[in-house]
Amino acid sequence: MKRYILLLLLFVQGMYAQVEFKAVPSKTSLGINERLIVEFSVNADGDNFTPPQFPGFKVSGPYQTVSNSWINGKTSFSKGYKYLLIPTAKGSFTIGSATIEVDGKELKTAPLKIKVGEAIAGADPNPYANNQQHQQEMQQNTSDGVHLVAEVSKTNPYVNEPVTVVYKIYVSPSTSVSGWKEVASPQYNDFWSQNIDIKNLQLQQETYQGKMYRMVVLRKTVLYPQKDGRLEIEPLTLDVSMEVPNGRTDFFGRQFMVATNKVVSAGKKYINARPLPEKGKPGNFSGAVGNFSFTVKPSKTTSSNGEPIQLEVAVAGKGNLKLFTLPKPQVPAALEMYDPEHTESVTTPLTGMQGKIVDNYTIVPQNKGKYPIKELSFSWFDLGTQSYKTVTHDEIMINVLNVPANQESAAKDDTNKRTVTSTEPFRFIALETTLKPVGRDDFFGSGIFYGLLALPFLLIPFIIFGRKKKEAYDSDVVGSKKRENNKLAKKYLGEAKKQLGSKAAFYLALEKALHNFLKAKLNIETSEMSRDNIKELLLSRNAKEETVLAFSKIMDSCEFARYAPSSDSAMQQDYDSAVSVITALEKQI
């Protein structure tokens, strides 16, 4: 029984002895200027290999090897992971255990103790560093490893014709790039520019200078020359971190890589921009270059009860849409046209700007009748035919059926002129003459002479009294301020009346008139003009509550009118209300 148990134990031990996972260093003691190779090998097909930490060493690898052999009917298998270690400091270092899984079981290597001492004379940290041939080969690999190129689509475009610049980086198959940073960014003076975002860099195979390279597009930019002549595109410059072969191979024939940096530049590029031809240039040309369509569309052509009309002026197509202005329509005085609302729906792909720009005008009829919007033209330079093109939109007739009565009367008042007639068109010839005698009495010694002589003395008491009154008047600071504010209130109220029909100027003058009225009557400053304070002061001066509310309403109208359209009738109504409220407060306070 004991014999069987012993045989069983030896059998199990033999089974486990068949799988071996070990770490073998090329040396355990070396100088700081030497190199060390550590190989982790297993004689079975393992998975999930995990290397240890390598404190005190710069690591390159792993270099994996697999071998199968059949000798005398017996098979052998080996899988290895080799690391090249470069010491970074002197001392004793421990390389921990590596792990690997074989048939679901985890195996570990024994830790390694490595001693790094002083530099060894005659030992070269890189045996090939002093070899001129290998140095030249490494420099050549660095020079040929990375190239930065700027490809310009056109070198002789017209002004405002799109030009694309594509920046590409070429990397040779034997070179590894770990990253780059931008040293100098291109400046596009005398160009309108738009960068096209590249979210995901895509690696492609492309031939450059007769050799196959890996290529990545870094940046795309669309340029529009803004003047003619020789224009410069400044270069893009990158500092590239890379690894290149140094001409040395390991015992497997693979190249050793050396980390280095290279500054690459796309170089300056020049564009000769041509001016647009003068021959055939239309008078209304505003700089549009491309291929466009032009439309002018009213929301309706018939208006009743003063309903506003929307007029859309639009240009769509492909070209420099953001670099010119749309033509402005001409309307008669009976149609009040406001400043347009400008909208853009433009994208900028690599081929240039495309989309649509719109000016939307609001037109408010002021009088009943039929009124034309004159024909409108738009011109551009067509790059396809290299000639100017013009599109003219037909005249648009607006039929105004009716407008509110107060709006029409206000419009008529603005156009009426005052007629002055003479009350005495003819005069009869005088039948009698008025003659004066030639001889006159002397002035000296006359009653008038003595009266004028005594007049200054008689005026002295009046002058003294007037001077005292003037001094008292001038010393009254509060009264002077009130009188000045009262004068300003009347001045701005008159200015508001003159500006009826001009919204911004009218409400600005009306608001100043109200403010100065309050300063004159309540003896307050601008900083004290809060609504609550004004209301409280007016009520304390015996002003009626409905009058105070009417005054606040006028103040609100002045504020809201800045942000909302206002008709002439509304302005007239606000003016009349302001006059009546000021008059009422004059009597009540």
Side-chain angles (χ1 to χ4, degrees):
M1 185 66 180
K2 291 182 180 180
R3 182 186 302 175
Y4 290 116
I5 293 174
L6 181 60
L7 290 174
L8 181 61
L9 291 174
L10 291 174
F11 177 75
V12 172
Q13 184 180 3
M15 286 183 63
Y16 280 101
Q18 290 178 359
V19 179
E20 185 179 16
F21 181 41
K22 59 184 179 180
V24 179
S26 60
K27 58 180 75 175
T28 57
S29 179
L30 69 158
I32 195 170
N33 59 340
E34 292 186 301
R35 301 290 183 267
L36 169 68
I37 295 177
V38 176
E39 180 179 11
F40 301 91
S41 61
V42 61
N43 59 350
D45 190 7
D47 296 312
N48 299 327
F49 171 74
T50 304
Q53 298 294 322
F54 298 95
F57 295 91
K58 183 179 179 181
V59 182
S60 178
Y63 306 103
Q64 186 174 342
T65 61
V66 177
S67 65
N68 274 303
S69 63
W70 179 274
I71 301 174
N72 296 327
K74 295 183 179 181
T75 60
S76 63
F77 176 87
S78 177
K79 178 185 285 189
Y81 304 88
K82 290 188 176 183
Y83 290 86
L84 174 66
L85 307 183
I86 303 173
T88 58
K90 293 182 291 184
S92 297
F93 303 97
T94 299
I95 299 174
S97 300
T99 61
I100 197 170
E101 291 183 5
V102 178
D103 295 332
K105 295 181 180 180
E106 185 180 83
L107 303 179
K108 292 185 178 181
T109 61
L112 300 176
K113 291 186 178 181
I114 306 297
K115 184 178 181 181
V116 179
E118 297 289 342
I120 298 175
D124 198 337
N126 184 355
Y128 296 90
N130 296 325
N131 188 311
Q132 186 176 4
Q133 178 181 354
H134 290 296
Q135 279 190 336
Q136 292 176 353
E137 183 177 347
M138 183 176 133
Q139 291 174 359
Q140 185 65 35
N141 290 335
T142 303
S143 177
D144 295 340
V146 177
H147 300 277
L148 182 62
V149 177
E151 295 182 352
V152 180
S153 62
K154 298 175 185 176
T155 57
N156 194 27
Y158 281 105
V159 172
N160 272 318
E161 180 179 0
V163 177
T164 60
V165 182
V166 179
Y167 295 92
K168 298 180 177 180
I169 185 169
Y170 290 89
V171 181
S172 70
S174 60
T175 301
S176 173
V177 172
S178 58
W180 58 78
K181 61 181 179 180
E182 201 166 302
V183 177
S185 300
Q187 300 296 319
Y188 305 109
N189 300 322
D190 303 318
F191 292 93
W192 183 94
S193 62
Q194 176 70 54
N195 288 326
I196 300 176
D197 294 333
I198 301 177
K199 296 182 179 179
N200 298 316
L201 299 179
Q202 296 183 352
L203 187 65
Q204 306 175 35
Q205 298 292 327
E206 194 170 297
T207 302
Y208 176 72
Q209 295 181 346
K211 298 179 182 179
M212 186 60 68
Y213 280 82
R214 294 167 292 167
M215 185 275 294
V216 173
V217 176
L218 298 180
R219 182 182 298 179
K220 298 178 181 179
T221 304
V222 179
L223 305 177
Y224 283 84
Q226 296 302 291
K227 71 176 185 178
D228 60 280
R230 182 178 170 88
L231 307 180
E232 178 184 306
I233 301 175
E234 296 184 5
L236 172 65
T237 304
L238 303 177
D239 184 2
V240 182
S241 300
M242 53 194 291
E243 291 184 353
V244 297
N246 67 351
R248 180 186 175 190
T249 59
D250 61 9
F251 44 84
F252 296 108
R254 290 171 294 203
Q255 291 277 356
F256 279 110
M257 306 294 285
V258 176
T260 185
N261 282 62
K262 180 184 178 183
V263 177
V264 292
S265 174
K268 291 183 179 180
K269 299 294 179 181
Y270 294 93
I271 289 178
N272 292 311
R274 294 178 288 170
L276 297 175
E278 293 295 329
K279 183 179 179 181
K281 181 183 289 187
N284 66 337
F285 179 70
S286 61
V289 177
N291 187 14
F292 304 104
S293 62
F294 176 61
T295 57
V296 181
K297 295 189 301 183
S299 60
K300 53 188 173 183
T301 56
T302 302
S303 173
S304 60
N305 296 321
E307 293 175 341
I309 298 171
Q310 301 297 322
L311 183 66
E312 180 186 277
V313 180
V315 169
K318 183 178 179 182
N320 60 332
L321 288 162
K322 295 183 178 181
L323 303 176
F324 61 84
T325 56
L326 293 172
K328 185 176 181 179
Q330 299 294 323
V331 299
L335 301 178
E336 184 178 2
M337 184 173 70
Y338 293 90
D339 292 336
E341 179 185 355
H342 183 78
T343 57
E344 295 180 355
S345 178
V346 181
T347 58
T348 309
L350 199 59
T351 53
M353 283 186 271
Q354 58 188 24
K356 183 179 182 180
I357 58 175
V358 177
D359 279 349
N360 205 327
Y361 294 85
T362 298
I363 298 176
V364 179
Q366 300 297 309
N367 289 315
K368 177 182 176 182
K370 292 186 177 181
Y371 305 99
I373 298 176
K374 296 181 180 180
E375 62 182 22
L376 200 59
S377 298
F378 175 71
S379 300
W380 71 90
F381 182 75
D382 192 315
L383 294 171
T385 60
Q386 296 193 1
S387 62
Y388 291 97
K389 292 186 177 181
T390 300
V391 172
T392 301
H393 196 278
D394 295 336
E395 181 180 271
I396 300 172
M397 186 63 68
I398 302 298
N399 184 14
V400 182
L401 300 179
N402 52 67
V403 295
N406 55 354
Q407 182 172 327
E408 185 172 9
S409 62
K412 288 181 179 179
D413 289 342
D414 290 341
T415 58
N416 288 340
K417 295 182 178 179
R418 183 179 176 184
T419 303
V420 180
T421 59
S422 175
T423 59
E424 192 180 5
F426 300 102
R427 288 184 61 193
F428 292 100
I429 298 174
L431 299 178
E432 296 180 356
T433 61
T434 303
L435 301 177
K436 295 181 180 180
V438 176
R440 294 187 178 182
D441 297 333
D442 291 335
F443 174 72
F444 185 77
S446 65
I448 297 176
F449 169 77
Y450 289 109
L452 293 176
L453 187 62
L455 183 62
F457 299 97
L458 296 174
L459 292 176
I460 289 175
F462 296 99
I463 293 173
I464 295 173
F465 178 76
R467 185 174 180 179
K468 289 183 178 180
K469 291 291 291 184
K470 180 67 168 59
E471 290 176 353
Y473 185 87
D474 292 340
S475 62
D476 185 9
V477 178
V478 176
S480 297
K481 189 176 294 185
K482 287 183 178 181
R483 289 188 292 273
E484 181 65 24
N485 290 329
N486 201 23
K487 187 187 298 183
L488 288 174
K490 293 179 180 178
K491 173 187 173 182
Y492 285 119
L493 196 61
E495 180 68 20
K497 187 175 182 180
K498 293 179 182 179
Q499 297 296 337
L500 279 169
S502 177
K503 184 187 75 172
F506 169 77
Y507 281 104
L508 179 62
L510 188 60
E511 188 175 25
K512 288 183 177 180
L514 296 174
H515 282 183
N516 283 283
F517 174 77
L518 290 175
K519 290 180 180 179
K521 298 303 177 183
L522 302 181
N523 191 24
I524 60 175
E525 299 297 332
T526 304
S527 59
E528 300 175 297
M529 285 190 182
S530 65
R531 292 298 176 86
D532 294 337
N533 190 31
I534 291 171
K535 183 178 179 180
E536 183 179 350
L537 288 173
L538 288 174
L539 292 175
S540 67
R541 301 289 181 89
N542 299 324
K544 295 182 180 180
E545 188 171 355
E546 58 269 18
T547 309
V548 175
L549 291 176
F551 189 89
S552 297
K553 186 177 179 182
I554 295 298
M555 295 290 290
D556 291 337
S557 296
C558 292
E559 294 181 2
F560 294 155
R562 298 177 182 175
Y563 311 102
S566 181
S567 63
D568 289 349
S569 61
M571 284 187 273
Q572 182 65 49
Q573 184 178 355
D574 287 339
Y575 176 79
D576 294 339
S577 299
V579 172
S580 62
V581 167
I582 289 176
T583 304
L585 288 175
E586 284 274 11
K587 295 177 180 179
Q588 295 170 14
I589 296 178

